Amino acid sequence: MQNVSARFSCVDGLSDPLLIVTVEDEVTGTGTLIHTLIFGVTEKETKIEILRDWELLQALTALTPKSSLDEKTVREDAELVLKRLKQAFDGELSAHAPTLRRPVSWPEMLFLPSKRG
C-alpha cells in the first residue's frame, strides 16, 4: 500500500470525518487525455459513504474552519481516520471510477469535526 498522508483541518458544521480523494488513471502513453475524478469519503456511524464531486461541493460549502485545536491529539486521530477511510475507498476503487483502466487514488485533505466525542 502506498504512503497515506494528507493535510487535515478541524471544522465546525461537520458531524463525521470527511476525506477528499483524487483518482487518476495510471495508464500513460496512450495519447488520450488524463481524467481526474474527485470524491469525498465519510463514515456515517459505521457505514462508509462515497460522495461524488457535486455532493462533496455541497458538503464543503457548509463548513467553517476552526482556529484552535490540540495539534498532537488531532494529528494522531487524523492519521487513523485517514487510513480507515482511504482503505475503505480503495477497496471499491474500480467501481467508483469505472471509466478508468488502472485507477490510482491519493488523499488530498481530511476534514475532522471540531467537536470529537
Side-chain angles (χ1 to χ4, degrees):
M1 186 169 117
Q2 67 188 28
N3 184 21
V4 178
S5 64
R7 293 181 180 98
F8 68 90
S9 178
C10 290
V11 294
D12 289 331
L14 190 64
S15 59
D16 301 291
L18 175 61
L19 175 63
I20 298 175
V21 178
T22 301
V23 179
E24 282 188 356
D25 205 340
E26 222 176 21
V27 176
T28 59
T30 62
T32 60
L33 293 173
I34 296 175
H35 293 95
T36 302
L37 304 172
I38 304 292
F39 293 91
V41 185
T42 189
E43 190 174 33
K44 303 284 184 185
E45 295 176 12
T46 60
K47 185 178 182 222
I48 299 295
E49 184 178 319
I50 307 302
L51 305 175
R52 295 299 218 180
D53 53 2
W54 64 271
E55 295 168 316
L56 177 60
L57 280 173
Q58 287 179 333
L60 291 175
T61 58
L63 303 181
T64 305
K66 186 75 174 171
S67 59
S68 63
L69 53 92
D70 178 358
E71 179 77 25
K72 184 177 183 228
T73 302
V74 172
R75 180 169 301 282
E76 290 169 359
D77 188 33
E79 290 173 6
L80 294 173
V81 170
L82 175 63
K83 286 179 183 177
R84 184 175 66 247
L85 294 179
K86 176 82 166 62
Q87 286 176 346
F89 181 79
D90 285 349
E92 299 290 325
L93 184 55
S94 292
H96 302 310
T99 59
L100 304 183
R101 287 196 233 165
R102 292 187 59 201
V104 62
S105 75
W106 60 90
E108 295 289 347
M109 182 78 188
L110 175 65
F111 293 102
L112 297 169
S114 60
K115 295 178 180 148
R116 307 287 293 164

